[in-house]
Amino acid sequence: MFEPVDPKMDFPAMEREILRWWEEAGIVEKYLRRNEDSPKRFSFIDGPITANNPMGVHHAWGRTYKDMFQRYKTMKGFRQRYQNGFDCQGLWVEVEVEKELGLDSKREIEQFGVERFVELCKERVRKYAAVQTGQSIRLGYWMDWDNSYFTMSDENNYTIWHFLKVCHERGWIYEGTDVMPWCPRCGTGLSQQEVVTEGYREMVHPGLYLMFPLLDREGESLLVWTTTPWTLTSNTGAYVHPDLAYAKVLTEDGEVLYALKSRLSEIKRGYEVIEEMPGRALDGLRYRGPFDELPSQRGVEHRVVLWEEVSESEGTGIVHTAPGAGAEDFKISKQTGLAVIAPLDEFGVFVDGFDWLTGRSVFEVNDGIYESLKAKGAFFRLEDYTHRYPVCWRCDTEVVFRLVDEWFISMDELRDKIADVARRVRWIPEFGLQRELDWLRNMDDWMISKKRFWGLALPVFKCGDCGHVEVIGSETELEARAVEGWDDFAGHSPHRPWIDAVKIQCSECEAVVPRIKDVGNVWLDAGIVPYSTIGYRNDRDYWKQWFPADWISESFPGQFRGWFYSLLVMSTALEDTEPFRNLYSYATMRDGKGEEMHKSKGNAIWFEDGAEKMGVDSMRWLYSRQSPVANLNFGFSTADEVRRRFIIPLWNIYSFFVTYANIDGYDPSAGGPPAGERPELDRWILSELNSLTQSVTQSLDGYEPEPAARRIEAFVEDLSNWYVRRSRRRFWKSDADQDKLAAYTTLYECLTTLARLLAPFIPFVTESMYRNLAAPIADARESVHLEAFPEADESLIDGGLSSAARLAMRLSSLGRAARSQAGVKVRQPVERALVKLRSASEEMRLDSVASQVRDELNVKELSVLDDESQVSRFDVRLDFSKVGPKYGPRTKEVSAALEKSDLAEVAALAQSGKPVPVGAFTLEPDELVVASGAIEGYSVASEGGYTVAVPTDISPELRLEGAARELVHLLQNMRRAADFDITDRIVVYYEGDAALDEVIGLHAGYIRQETLADDVRRGTPPEGAHVEERSVNGLSARLGAMRQAR
RNA sequence: GGGCCAGUAGCUCAGCCGGUUAGAGCGCAGUCCUGAUAAGACUGAGGUCCCUGGUUCGAGUCCAGGCUGGCCCA
């Protein structure tokens, strides 16, 4: 006996129950050890999840893939490490801890105490690592949770040191001066990677027009436009486009101005053009700067330079440049020789040398700047200007551009090597490679420093006396080189502030040198994991066994220049080899309407909410069937649809099976007839099952979950809507014969195979099914997840069976359409259906499925249309897939000849299987597709060369039979309404229309059999019977069903 | 300006190696079946497969150019 199955399962409750059992029975433990002695290895290396907040449903998407492939490989017998990773260090954690503490700047952190602050960062990471672990377990993600790696670990940090030392030895590490996007609140530069990720906001800035008076042309000025007035303090030049047309104009207010001709409308007052010239004519003109009175501007020459990128679509075509406050400007200044003035300190406050501005924040000086410009007569016009402008990705503060010293890894020598390594990897989807190469072509040197507290301590020591730079590659090297502070540091993790105590001696000048204060870029932390987590430094043999990863997976946004990039850079530098062989990547999660999910918008779904409302199997299936290149629209209704369309039908089949298996006492351990000796329907579904197993295996071996999931859906649909639908009677008939046993055995095999095939996708439903179904089998494993993945038995795959079943389904569908058209319901038997197929070989095939089609369409007889005289219209077409290749360019002539032929004649010949002369050609019958348009006395439906026709006239006998079936239908409904058991026997009573006697007289046996009635009697139903007044095909009846004692 | 992706029904998306009558789900209208019963099936309406050219006997599918949207880089 199987446990009875609740057809209205509460899936989330079931999942919780199974989680409890997994825990109690130690199943995960057994799973993790299942293959520990296997010679086959599958190396998955986890991209660390930031342990800074609870995980969301979008993380569950990626984790579903990770779990699926590890489970699949486990079932296939591969030994694995099952190691999860947590990303720990970096600004994102600092910002959250700052919020908790109510701190708002680096100064406040320093006052609070860096040591306490860093401890709190560590604590936060541990807390959320635990939260995410719990959530992942709820998802059914089976990992070795006690063995997760943390990027803040000593080993991770020291392995990065090693990497940096290798880079340094090759001369790639340098300290550079550059203008970087800078967050004045966080007090740190933002790397290229950080700014381009969601780092832009729409904002309103001043659009300020002002004049730069030309020194060499008295009374004439350049008209300039800027959206960052504060940078005017550091102006040293103005760009004009060399080739565009500029104009000199006289305004109605008497100003003589230069501006781009196409932008003169910006003047917004009356003017006349005095002269036109190309931009290059203005090259080198000197002008009086807007803030020449500031000490920092002393001695600076301001002049016009040419730049081809000057925009024609905004401003005046004359662009103010402050090379100390703009990234592009700084680069250009190296060629033009324009002076560089750096105005801001790390908090965005003006430094010394800026007179009244010094000590004031960049965000509060605009009004003063306007006043000053007005006083100097340089102010022209001010308006609001809305544009996208970078903000700090962590705290949303508006970014400034600031001249700073940062540390970089030079990419000049690495760039091409990395590209070669990237090309050795299989990228899924394929275009991933193009994206990565595109990034590799465009990237700048990698900025690895950050002026913060919580992160990798860059092991860089720069001598204050002689400028010599040294990079320390390990903790032992540091200890050996330490001349000061080692005792204070010993016993601590290599983080600030403890590490800052250690000083070394300069190997050039013997000065005592402290570490630079900077911490590292977070992508270093994640990029090193294929080295740090598998013993690269300390156990090279072990490392070689697991490196490179066979498979990694993350979503695209950010990763091509984030994790994928850092993995490639670091592995190329260390070993010049690929750190992973296959990469599976996927798009972005949106809400149910396709809009971006944001906590602030209120359309984000918490993982727990999702899990408890939809059940994680629904979520997991939704993810599994998603095309990875497309964004996933995720919502409660989409998950619900998945449950309705896939999980519930699957469950219904299972529940159906268990219901009848229990009634019949089916015992799977007793075996059944050999597959080859079972009825065609069984052999068909087994063929489909094995072919499914084959293609799912192939897809998963190729790391493509989506086609696997879609194939499984199609199979479940066939199983439900054809196999079970067609087999129902076999299960509930009363004889216990071979046919019934074959049906049970077949459906049992389908369900247990499906449970194993689906186990990596939906671990809960499959576990529930498998445990119940496998219980009677002596050597079954206790959990489906300890089972082997199904192996396809190719000998059971038979394309002919598949075609026959497709044919049956198609004919049934057409027959229903024909019935529907004529208004004859399926319950009403009809004499015959006429069918017309595409070929003679299909007619052979028809025999094997004719009984199914007859049954499905409720017809007495199924025959191939042979009396062509009844057909009043023929539709004959070429089968181009055969004719095309054979006749090539002459296909059109064949087609034209056919159109001129007598279609009835052609059809007749084709039907009889003889060669058909068509014009100058002779066609084989199977090169033609013949359909019948209309047939006298029939309702006809045609599609794709198939025709099914059913008669529109019904004989009186058939009407009576129809009424009997109607009666059975009503009685069945009454049985259910009365809540009788499926096996209860009844006595039927009826009163009403006299014509009922004839119906019942003829079909009492049938009615008794179908409704499990011992007798059918005319008369008033006794007390206690279930009674309903009904119309039976127009005959009024009062029906009673009386349950008999068991 | 460059790279990548997408454009198929009202909406969300399938469509393998090119085969001539393009599918599913949701939604809408209607019907049916049901001893899987708070499921299921069918029918119908709804398409310029973004546009233009090319290759081909044949193009939603391949090629070129363009348009629109998204992502990325300048």
Side-chain angles (χ1 to χ4, degrees):
Chain A
M1 283 289 279
F2 302 103
E3 288 293 320
V5 175
D6 182 356
K8 293 165 209 157
M9 177 55 87
D10 174 350
F11 289 100
M14 179 265 276
E15 290 169 358
R16 286 193 298 271
E17 179 56 37
I18 285 183
L19 282 168
R20 205 172 307 129
W21 177 74
W22 282 342
E23 171 80 36
E24 280 166 20
I27 301 299
V28 181
E29 192 60 25
K30 291 173 190 166
Y31 166 91
L32 297 178
R33 293 214 176 133
R34 183 186 187 274
N35 302 322
E36 64 186 358
D37 298 322
S38 171
K40 294 195 287 184
R41 278 191 170 74
F42 175 68
S43 179
F44 163 70
I45 290 184
D46 189 27
I49 179 172
T50 307
N52 191 35
N53 278 302
M55 74 177 214
V57 284
H58 60 291
H59 292 109
W61 185 8
R63 304 198 139 213
T64 295
Y65 290 131
K66 292 175 181 183
D67 189 46
M68 179 195 308
F69 284 106
Q70 289 179 89
R71 282 178 185 274
Y72 171 67
K73 292 293 181 182
T74 303
M75 293 178 82
K76 281 285 191 183
F78 288 82
R79 183 173 165 192
Q80 291 172 73
R81 299 177 61 253
Y82 307 107
Q83 189 179 37
N84 171 264
F86 291 111
D87 209 4
C88 311
Q89 302 177 149
L91 185 55
W92 39 42
V93 180
E94 288 193 42
V95 169
E96 292 296 331
V97 172
E98 277 184 78
K99 267 192 228 160
E100 277 176 8
L101 295 172
L103 304 180
D104 200 32
S105 72
K106 280 164 74 173
R107 274 197 208 99
E108 288 179 20
I109 294 170
E110 275 162 354
Q111 281 158 16
F112 177 81
V114 173
E115 177 165 351
R116 279 168 72 200
F117 183 76
V118 165
E119 288 293 5
L120 288 172
C121 287
K122 289 184 179 179
E123 208 169 278
R124 182 179 178 89
V125 166
R126 287 192 201 102
K127 174 179 163 189
Y128 282 102
V131 169
Q132 292 176 343
T133 299
Q135 292 177 303
S136 301
I137 290 170
R138 175 65 187 86
L139 178 68
Y141 190 19
W142 280 8
M143 292 298 253
D144 187 359
W145 291 110
D146 296 334
N147 189 32
S148 291
Y149 72 78
F150 289 75
T151 60
M152 65 186 174
S153 71
D154 291 3
E155 185 59 26
N156 210 65
N157 282 305
Y158 290 134
T159 312
I160 301 170
W161 282 21
H162 171 72
F163 160 78
L164 292 172
K165 179 160 179 126
V166 168
C167 290
H168 181 58
E169 282 166 353
R170 298 187 192 160
W172 297 336
I173 303 252
Y174 70 94
E175 185 182 29
T177 302
D178 203 350
V179 171
M180 303 292 300
W182 185 273
C183 173
R185 196 213 66 88
C186 296
T188 184
L190 302 171
S191 68
Q192 200 184 356
Q193 290 103 314
E194 291 168 300
V195 172
V196 294
T197 332
E198 53 177 329
Y200 283 83
R201 287 272 176 292
E202 184 114 314
M203 42 178 87
V204 180
H205 277 131
L208 173 65
Y209 294 80
L210 73 161
M211 295 173 285
F212 288 172
L214 291 169
L215 292 176
D216 312 308
R217 300 185 183 179
E218 195 62 31
E220 300 181 5
S221 297
L222 303 172
L223 184 63
V224 175
W225 176 77
T226 181
T227 59
T228 49
W230 65 270
T231 60
L232 291 168
T233 59
S234 308
N235 172 276
T236 61
Y239 300 137
V240 299
H241 194 293
D243 305 320
L244 296 176
Y246 285 76
K248 177 157 91 172
V249 302
L250 173 63
T251 72
E252 61 189 8
D253 297 342
E255 298 125 340
V256 178
L257 301 174
Y258 290 85
L260 194 63
K261 194 184 161 208
S262 60
R263 302 296 301 174
L264 291 176
S265 59
E266 296 300 298
I267 292 173
K268 298 277 193 296
R269 55 184 83 164
Y271 65 86
E272 56 175 308
V273 175
I274 303 169
E275 190 188 339
E276 290 183 22
M277 76 262 352
R280 65 179 74 257
L282 305 174
D283 187 16
L285 289 178
R286 293 176 307 129
Y287 62 88
R288 194 159 69 241
F291 286 90
D292 280 358
E293 70 279 11
L294 296 175
S296 58
Q297 286 274 1
R298 214 161 282 150
V300 170
E301 182 191 69
H302 301 80
R303 62 187 159 83
V304 172
V305 298
L306 302 178
W307 188 42
E308 293 187 346
E309 304 295 313
V310 168
S311 167
E312 237 185 316
S313 58
E314 59 184 16
T316 63
I318 303 179
V319 179
H320 127 77
T321 170
E328 189 76 37
D329 293 355
F330 183 74
K331 256 178 227 164
I332 297 167
S333 73
K334 289 180 178 166
Q335 289 142 37
T336 60
L338 288 176
V340 176
I341 300 171
L344 301 180
D345 73 4
E346 63 177 320
F347 302 110
V349 169
F350 279 90
V351 296
D352 286 345
F354 285 82
D355 192 21
W356 60 275
L357 294 139
T358 298
R360 296 177 69 179
S361 159
V362 67
F363 297 122
E364 56 183 39
V365 297
N366 279 355
D367 287 343
I369 284 174
Y370 307 149
E371 290 315 308
S372 171
L373 291 174
K374 281 175 184 163
K376 286 176 275 195
F379 185 93
F380 190 76
R381 190 159 67 79
L382 181 67
E383 63 183 21
D384 282 344
Y385 181 73
T386 305
H387 61 159
R388 281 164 58 75
Y389 191 82
V391 294
C392 173
W393 64 313
R394 284 293 147 187
C395 69
D396 244 15
T397 303
E398 192 174 316
V399 153
V400 296
F401 287 83
R402 182 168 174 259
L403 187 69
V404 287
D405 292 330
E406 296 286 357
W407 292 85
F408 296 86
I409 300 176
S410 165
M411 288 295 147
D412 293 344
E413 287 178 32
L414 277 167
R415 195 182 305 265
D416 291 342
K417 284 190 188 175
I418 299 170
D420 288 343
V421 167
R423 277 187 268 261
R424 289 209 289 272
V425 170
R426 177 170 173 228
W427 298 74
I428 310 165
E430 277 176 29
F431 65 75
L433 175 61
Q434 293 315 314
R435 282 211 185 171
E436 192 62 54
L437 293 177
D438 186 46
W439 164 254
L440 291 172
R441 274 191 294 275
N442 288 305
M443 71 192 179
D444 297 336
D445 289 346
W446 186 1
M447 185 181 105
I448 53 168
S449 57
K450 219 173 190 53
K451 301 198 170 356
R452 292 293 304 191
F453 305 102
W454 171 232
L456 167 84
L458 287 176
V460 177
F461 292 75
K462 183 185 172 189
C463 178
D465 289 357
C466 72
H468 180 60
V469 172
E470 300 194 50
V471 173
I472 300 296
S474 70
E475 62 274 46
T476 46
E477 186 185 348
L478 182 65
E479 183 171 12
R481 293 289 307 274
V483 292
E484 223 177 82
W486 178 262
D487 293 342
D488 295 334
F489 166 66
H492 289 103
S493 69
H495 288 110
R496 299 187 68 188
W498 310 288
I499 191 75
D500 295 339
V502 183
K503 293 178 182 162
I504 66 169
Q505 192 167 47
C506 177
S507 58
E508 298 277 311
C509 74
E510 302 189 352
V512 173
V513 183
R515 194 186 70 85
I516 60 165
K517 288 282 179 278
D518 305 41
V519 296
N521 178 282
V522 291
W523 292 114
L524 291 166
D525 300 353
I528 200 67
V529 299
Y531 290 84
S532 60
T533 62
I534 47 179
Y536 181 68
R537 293 201 313 154
N538 305 314
D539 188 351
R540 216 36 96 85
D541 286 341
Y542 184 82
W543 177 76
K544 280 180 185 157
Q545 286 168 18
W546 295 101
F547 182 93
D550 289 300
W551 185 78
I552 65 168
S553 172
E554 294 300 323
S555 72
F556 332 123
Q559 302 298 349
F560 291 101
R561 57 177 180 271
W563 193 46
F564 305 156
Y565 169 67
S566 65
L567 284 170
L568 291 169
V569 172
M570 295 175 95
S571 195
T572 303
L574 287 173
E575 293 285 330
D576 197 14
T577 189
E578 69 277 17
F580 51 90
R581 292 200 174 102
N582 295 280
L583 178 144
Y584 185 79
S585 192
Y586 49 94
T588 311
M589 185 177 284
R590 301 289 180 80
D591 75 5
K593 293 180 200 136
E595 286 170 29
E596 276 183 57
M597 273 194 182
H598 282 301
K599 280 179 208 164
S600 55
K601 253 168 81 179
N603 62 350
I605 295 177
W606 294 108
F607 173 76
E608 282 79 358
D609 270 6
E612 287 319 305
K613 285 185 188 144
M614 359 179 145
V616 294
D617 274 349
S618 295
M619 267 166 67
R620 291 177 63 124
W621 190 253
L622 177 59
Y623 300 144
S624 305
R625 70 188 301 284
Q626 172 70 18
S627 161
V629 300
N631 290 334
L632 169 58
N633 296 348
F634 185 89
F636 288 104
S637 61
T638 38
D640 201 51
E641 192 182 318
V642 161
R643 184 170 58 201
R644 278 200 347 265
R645 286 198 47 225
F646 180 68
I647 309 269
I648 290 185
L650 176 66
W651 192 260
N652 280 343
I653 301 168
Y654 163 58
S655 143
F656 171 87
F657 171 82
V658 167
T659 304
Y660 288 99
N662 281 344
I663 289 172
D664 284 323
Y666 168 70
D667 177 6
S669 64
E677 291 169 22
R678 293 181 212 167
E680 164 141 353
L681 191 61
D682 296 336
R683 285 186 283 120
W684 164 69
I685 197 71
L686 290 175
S687 168
E688 296 290 341
L689 179 69
N690 282 283
S691 140
L692 173 74
T693 301
Q694 212 171 38
S695 62
V696 168
T697 302
Q698 198 185 343
S699 295
L700 294 184
D701 283 343
Y703 304 108
E704 293 177 321
E706 179 210 355
R710 288 181 188 270
R711 277 295 306 258
I712 295 173
E713 284 185 354
F715 176 82
V716 169
E717 163 123 3
D718 282 346
L719 184 65
S720 170
N721 290 331
W722 196 252
Y723 182 78
V724 172
R725 178 188 169 84
R726 292 301 333 133
S727 297
R728 269 184 304 209
R729 219 161 245 280
R730 303 167 67 197
F731 291 101
W732 54 263
K733 67 185 174 185
S734 36
D735 331 320
D737 56 9
Q738 279 299 103
D739 177 63
K740 182 182 249 186
L741 185 57
Y744 275 120
T745 311
T746 303
L747 187 51
Y748 182 80
E749 286 165 5
C750 287
L751 286 169
T752 50
T753 305
L754 213 40
R756 287 181 294 143
L757 272 179
L758 278 167
F761 298 84
I762 47 172
F764 293 93
V765 167
T766 50
E767 184 77 310
S768 178
M769 285 171 53
Y770 176 84
R771 289 194 64 211
N772 194 14
L773 293 173
I777 306 290
D779 60 351
R781 314 272 179 126
E782 60 189 317
S783 161
V784 71
H785 305 296
L786 302 175
E787 269 285 1
F789 200 75
E791 301 279 343
D793 180 347
E794 287 178 37
S795 71
L796 295 179
I797 300 176
D798 179 344
L801 289 171
S802 195
S803 312
R806 295 285 144 219
L807 182 64
M809 291 179 206
R810 183 145 210 173
L811 295 179
S812 300
S813 163
L814 282 171
R816 277 191 290 263
R819 271 178 167 277
S820 167
Q821 224 171 285
V824 183
K825 50 172 109 168
V826 180
R827 209 181 293 134
Q828 172 62 56
V830 297
E831 191 52 44
R832 73 173 62 79
L834 299 176
V835 304
K836 191 176 242 318
L837 307 180
R838 290 172 66 122
S839 65
S841 62
E842 275 189 340
E843 285 174 15
M844 311 275 289
R845 196 167 279 147
L846 181 62
D847 284 349
S848 67
V849 293
S851 73
Q852 291 179 28
V853 178
R854 277 203 304 270
D855 207 39
E856 194 68 18
L857 291 180
N858 196 15
V859 299
K860 302 290 176 197
E861 187 190 324
L862 188 67
S863 52
V864 173
L865 181 64
D866 51 5
D867 182 2
E868 310 294 333
S869 65
Q870 287 179 304
V871 178
S872 53
R873 183 162 53 80
F874 284 101
D875 178 20
V876 182
R877 291 185 305 111
L878 293 172
D879 183 344
F880 283 96
S881 65
K882 298 202 173 82
V883 176
K886 183 165 166 186
Y887 290 92
R890 302 192 68 194
T891 306
K892 275 182 180 160
E893 296 173 41
V894 181
S895 181
L898 180 64
E899 267 171 47
K900 287 182 207 141
S901 309
D902 177 348
L903 293 183
E905 209 170 284
V906 169
L909 280 169
Q911 280 312 113
S912 60
K914 292 176 191 141
V916 186
V918 171
F921 306 92
T922 304
L923 298 178
E924 297 303 318
D926 69 349
E927 287 166 357
L928 289 163
V929 178
V930 181
S932 311
I935 302 171
E936 206 65 34
Y938 284 81
S939 170
V940 179
S942 290
E943 189 187 58
Y946 299 95
T947 298
V948 177
V950 293
T952 46
D953 273 355
I954 315 284
S955 69
E957 292 77 27
L958 287 173
R959 287 208 182 280
L960 289 174
E961 195 182 331
R965 288 190 63 142
E966 179 73 18
L967 199 54
V968 166
H969 166 65
L970 293 174
L971 288 165
Q972 302 285 33
N973 283 343
M974 284 168 61
R975 286 182 61 110
R976 186 169 28 263
D979 211 17
F980 294 167
D981 192 81
I982 287 174
T983 54
D984 283 340
R985 302 203 64 87
I986 59 170
V987 169
V988 173
Y989 296 85
Y990 71 96
E991 297 174 285
D993 223 305
L996 284 171
D997 291 336
E998 196 183 356
V999 174
I1000 287 159
L1002 275 168
H1003 298 289
Y1006 164 73
I1007 294 167
R1008 285 209 310 273
Q1009 183 194 329
E1010 291 294 309
T1011 60
L1012 293 188
D1014 289 337
D1015 196 9
V1016 183
R1017 300 173 191 158
R1018 181 174 263 279
T1020 311
E1023 194 69 16
H1026 180 79
V1027 178
E1028 291 185 14
E1029 301 271 354
R1030 288 301 181 128
S1031 159
V1032 183
N1033 282 7
L1035 308 174
S1036 64
R1038 184 162 182 272
L1039 301 171
M1042 183 69 197
R1043 176 154 52 173
Q1044 300 304 102
R1046 278 185 239 187

